[in-house]
Amino acid sequence: MNGANESPPVVSAGTGFALFVYNATNRTLSINTSFSGLTGNVTAAHLHCCTAVALAGTVGVASTTPTLAGFPSGLTSGTFGALLDLSLPSSWNAAFITANGGTTATAEAAFATGLNAGKVYFNIHTTTSGGGEIRGFVTVVPEPSSVLLMAAGLAAVGLMARRRRGVLSAPRA
């Protein structure tokens, strides 16, 4: 996250990193973030969804407003961790629920679609940049175990195909 990612861009030495883990089965979103070097004190932080174009634009707040519960305010650097239960209305901005079908399940479905499409961003607002001092779009990264499992499966299919070709082409006695 940085000021250049804001829309319009903000001159700030502030930077941040956030890791989000969405679990569709448990209907949870884990948030872990750290930030530093902000020019103003934190006033709010939240997730926005879903922009019209991936990795660009602005859109309304999807998570609680004005800020995520427990997010540190009044600081220029800090860390934050939380686990949101997406089945609860308290994890969402009421306007986001209304605009996306009227239930937490439909809001979550819209959010998940936005996550997968690169249309969700995390924003930290400060006293010097009320519209947001730093932000970053959330990008989906497959978990390593899934990638390794897929690679192992492809290798096994390849070996089976080679063996099958070898058996079929072997001369008969």
Side-chain angles (χ1 to χ4, degrees):
M1 297 182 297
N2 59 47
N5 288 336
E6 285 292 343
S7 182
V10 172
V11 175
S12 172
T15 59
F17 175 81
L19 174 66
F20 301 93
V21 179
Y22 171 60
N23 185 319
T25 303
N26 294 337
R27 299 189 65 194
T28 59
L29 181 69
S30 170
I31 302 171
N32 288 289
T33 186
S34 63
F35 58 94
S36 63
L38 300 176
T39 59
N41 293 326
V42 172
T43 57
H46 39 245
L47 288 154
H48 293 252
C49 185
C50 301
T51 59
V53 177
L55 307 175
T58 60
V59 70
V61 178
S63 62
T64 55
T65 55
T67 194
L68 290 163
F71 198 90
S73 64
L75 305 172
T76 59
S77 64
T79 60
F80 173 75
L83 182 66
L84 301 181
D85 181 341
L86 301 180
S87 69
L88 299 176
S90 60
S91 294
W92 300 101
N93 178 353
F96 185 77
I97 293 174
T98 301
N100 289 285
T103 69
T104 58
T106 55
E108 180 182 352
F111 185 78
T113 299
L115 275 175
N116 287 322
K119 297 180 176 184
V120 173
Y121 61 92
F122 185 63
N123 208 10
I124 298 179
H125 302 258
T126 65
T127 52
T128 57
S129 297
E133 184 166 335
I134 61 173
R135 81 172 183 169
F137 275 86
V138 180
T139 55
V140 175
V141 177
E143 62 177 305
S145 60
S146 295
V147 173
L148 290 174
L149 183 61
M150 183 177 72
L154 290 173
V157 169
L159 285 172
M160 288 174 48
R162 282 186 73 172
R163 284 186 182 163
R164 191 168 287 182
R165 278 194 302 261
V167 170
L168 293 176
S169 64
R172 292 188 183 185

